Amino acid sequence: MTFHDDSINFLGLALVLLLCFLSPATFAADYISSTLDGPFVPVTVPLDTTLRGKAIDLPDTDPRVRRHVTGFEPEQISLSLSSDHDSVWVSWITGEFQIGENVKPLDPTSIDSIVQFGTLRHSLSHEAKGHSLVYSQLYPFEGLLNYTSGIIHHVRITGLKPSTVYYYRCGDPSRHGMSKIHHFRTMPVSRPSSYPGRIAVVGDLGLTYNTTDTISHLIHNSPDLVLLIGDVSYANLYLTNGSSSDCYSCSFPQTPIHETYQPRWDYWGRFMENLTSRVPFMVVEGNHEIELQAENKTFEAYSSRFAFPFKESGSSSTLYYSFNAGGIHFVMLGAYIAFDKSAEQYEWLKKDLAKFDRSVTPWLVVSWHPPWYSSYTAHYREAECMKEAMEELLYSYGTDIVFNGHVHAYERSNRVYNYELDPCGPVYIVVGDGGNREKMAIEHADEPGKCPDPLTTPDPGMGGKFCGWNFTTSGKFCWDRQPDYSALRESSFGHGILEMKNDTWALWTWYRNQDSSSKVGDQIYIVRQPDICPRHNPLVNHF
């Protein structure tokens, strides 16, 4: 039998097409699952026991945490977004902190807060002025050391163009105290077709050698924005004299108050400056930021050191706020401030979501520190009261993705609402695996003998009330197997990258510290389905 060349070409093309349809495994290495393929059968990645014992803090002698400026030159420079693309906050510290029994705060009015900026490196033709402050961490107990910070500056620069590189330097030119020139890129304009290139998401960082690996990998991925989902410096694992422990309550049960060693905040700011001075960081508080001190003050370091767009977003507190980044509306919620339906935060959230417009920002991404959906024994169902108060509201507005920390492991959920699989529920992602010294969570509540006593689960920092009455289908407080809502869980340190591809498809990638910078630990497309999921259900009672 004889074939002509055209017949051979036709048969070859047909064979290739047939293989494409009949042999998907041939292309499995390139295929990335999407939430449209779910819900997924729960998977637990086996524990690598060699990784658990490496969470050691950087010492204060490490050159990366030492002070390298003199006089009133700026240090610990950081950026954060305002409510939209046209403004950015620049923050920094001048002067040295003091720690001792008797400390005298620096005068914040003694030096100006100025940012010079422009689109050309050698022509910083614009100038903005801001405000400065000093905070103290005071303990009215004999033998405990007090702390007062350097002068913290916050300047909001406005009138910026979208998706534009700006150069800047900060300080006080009259005091010969200006920084070197840094740069950043503004967010794209808010509309369905424009998004930041890459958004890094990380939680529970601390300042350990694991942290340095996390940040090194994160920088390699060139993010345009970073979300830090609580638990920043872990200064509260230290006594005021600098002694420390992986477990404060285990090692220091007799202290008259939960002490902190505030210089760890300065060490963290110095180590992070190479990244925070050029990529905006959006931070939400965790339990390690509470830091109770004299006069029952809390969150002083957190609220003083970072700039937040809380006023721009109509909030009265640094503990909760919102902002836009291209076509994404981000909501950062506070778990350690009142959140029930009569609270100011809940009222603010209702108003913020009522203004949320998917024709401008199609994606709704919400973050807070302690997870509602985690199958680990650590902090199991600890945030149940917050879930009970807010889950219905977030679901009714079609929240797409939720990021949490707190549990020191990685876990990604199937779409879920009220513990039931739901194609319109959010995907919950726990990234409390940034590298802190408390080590990884490794026990699961569904393992034999690992289910905690229900009455031990409430967190005093969240009100201490028990709300876990919504038991499993078997009538127990814990599942007897990995819950259906848990798609993937793994005890490893790492970080994630979120990339919005368009107004309905987003790529989520999780990277593990033990892998090369380019190797993927978990990856999935998160797909919005506005045709089957209502944007807002007016019948739900939010009052």
Side-chain angles (χ1 to χ4, degrees), residues 70-145:
T70 60
F72 283 91
E73 294 176 347
E75 64 161 346
Q76 304 179 49
I77 300 169
S78 65
L79 302 170
S80 57
L81 300 181
S82 186
S83 56
D84 222 324
H85 73 269
D86 59 355
S87 58
V88 166
W89 285 95
V90 183
S91 304
W92 69 95
I93 295 180
T94 53
E96 297 189 56
F97 68 77
Q98 303 165 58
I99 187 165
E101 292 186 3
N102 298 300
V103 293
K104 183 180 180 181
L106 298 173
D107 179 6
T109 66
S110 63
I111 185 168
D112 287 337
S113 307
I114 295 174
V115 175
Q116 298 170 344
F117 64 99
T119 55
L120 300 175
R121 182 180 182 88
H122 299 294
S123 180
L124 306 181
S125 54
H126 303 281
E127 184 175 283
K129 295 184 177 181
H131 67 278
S132 58
L133 60 98
V134 168
Y135 84 91
S136 297
Q137 190 79 13
L138 305 176
Y139 298 106
F141 301 100
E142 184 177 354
L144 271 60
L145 303 182

Side-chain angles (χ1 to χ4, degrees), residues 377 380 450-458 466 477-478:
T377 301
Y380 182 69
K450 301 302 182 183
C451 181
D453 178 346
L455 295 182
T456 66
T457 57
F466 180 75
F477 187 64
C478 298

Side-chain angles (χ1 to χ4, degrees), residues 354-393:
K355 293 184 291 184
F356 166 56
D357 184 354
R358 287 200 190 262
S359 69
V360 178
T361 51
W363 289 90
L364 177 58
V365 178
V366 185
S367 299
W368 63 88
H369 186 59
W372 295 349
Y373 290 95
S374 168
S375 58
Y376 283 82
T377 301
H379 308 299
Y380 182 69
R381 302 184 71 172
E382 187 176 277
E384 201 75 12
C385 291
M386 184 184 185
K387 176 181 178 296
E388 183 181 82
M390 291 183 161
E391 184 177 26
E392 183 183 48
L393 179 59

Side-chain angles (χ1 to χ4, degrees), residues 195-216:
Y195 299 93
R198 290 183 167 189
I199 301 165
V201 187
V202 66
D204 302 68
L205 262 179
L207 189 56
T208 69
Y209 290 100
N210 274 311
T211 309
T212 65
D213 289 342
T214 301
I215 296 303
S216 176

Side-chain angles (χ1 to χ4, degrees), residues 119-379:
T119 55
L120 300 175
R121 182 180 182 88
H122 299 294
S123 180
L124 306 181
S125 54
H126 303 281
E127 184 175 283
K129 295 184 177 181
H131 67 278
S132 58
L133 60 98
V134 168
Y135 84 91
S136 297
Q137 190 79 13
L138 305 176
Y139 298 106
F141 301 100
E142 184 177 354
L144 271 60
L145 303 182
N146 296 313
Y147 170 95
T148 185
S149 71
I151 300 172
I152 302 171
H153 305 259
H154 298 300
V155 176
R156 184 186 178 202
I157 55 179
T158 60
L160 305 177
K161 299 177 181 179
S163 303
T164 302
V165 173
Y166 282 87
Y167 298 90
Y168 76 96
R169 60 183 178 183
C170 57
D172 184 348
S174 70
R175 300 287 295 270
H176 303 289
M178 294 296 287
S179 72
K180 69 178 184 180
I181 295 176
H182 300 274
H183 70 277
F184 63 87
R185 178 182 292 274
T186 54
M187 293 294 105
V189 68
S190 291
R191 61 188 177 198
S193 60
S194 60
Y195 299 93
R198 290 183 167 189
I199 301 165
V201 187
V202 66
D204 302 68
L205 262 179
L207 189 56
T208 69
Y209 290 100
N210 274 311
T211 309
T212 65
D213 289 342
T214 301
I215 296 303
S216 176
H217 283 212
L218 188 152
I219 290 173
H220 182 268
N221 279 317
S222 302
D224 299 286
L225 174 65
V226 178
L227 304 183
L228 177 47
I229 317 298
D231 285 1
V232 182
S233 73
Y234 285 79
N236 73 336
L237 291 184
Y238 286 74
L239 300 181
T240 62
N241 63 12
S243 301
S244 66
S245 172
D246 294 349
C247 174
Y248 184 99
S249 61
C250 306
S251 300
F252 312 119
Q254 304 300 321
T255 55
I257 191 172
H258 192 129
E259 302 176 32
T260 72
Y261 187 63
Q262 290 294 299
R264 295 300 300 184
W265 278 101
D266 296 283
Y267 303 160
W268 190 91
R270 291 166 184 163
F271 173 79
M272 295 293 292
E273 182 179 337
N274 182 48
L275 178 61
T276 60
S277 62
R278 54 192 174 90
V279 179
F281 258 64
M282 305 308 289
V283 185
V284 70
E285 84 281 2
N287 55 299
H288 284 272
E289 280 72 70
I290 296 175
E291 297 188 326
L292 178 66
Q293 62 164 305
E295 300 178 356
N296 287 322
K297 291 182 179 180
T298 54
F299 297 107
E300 286 293 300
Y302 163 86
S303 295
S304 300
R305 290 176 178 271
F306 299 106
F308 309 90
F310 72 100
K311 292 182 180 178
E312 299 99 287
S313 59
S315 169
S316 62
S317 171
T318 59
L319 304 184
Y320 56 90
Y321 60 92
S322 68
F323 63 96
N324 291 337
I328 315 166
H329 184 61
F330 287 97
V331 178
M332 313 292 270
L333 295 176
Y336 303 97
I337 186 174
F339 46 68
D340 58 83
K341 294 183 179 181
S342 63
E344 186 176 344
Q345 178 177 198
Y346 190 87
E347 288 299 314
W348 169 84
L349 178 59
K350 288 196 302 182
K351 293 177 182 177
D352 187 83
L353 293 176
K355 293 184 291 184
F356 166 56
D357 184 354
R358 287 200 190 262
S359 69
V360 178
T361 51
W363 289 90
L364 177 58
V365 178
V366 185
S367 299
W368 63 88
H369 186 59
W372 295 349
Y373 290 95
S374 168
S375 58
Y376 283 82
T377 301
H379 308 299

Side-chain angles (χ1 to χ4, degrees), residues 23-32:
S23 304
T26 304
F27 304 94
D30 297 322
Y31 181 76
I32 300 173

Side-chain angles (χ1 to χ4, degrees), residues 341 346 392 537-543:
K341 294 183 179 181
Y346 190 87
E392 183 183 48
N537 182 1
L539 300 179
V540 174
N541 180 13
H542 304 307
F543 299 93

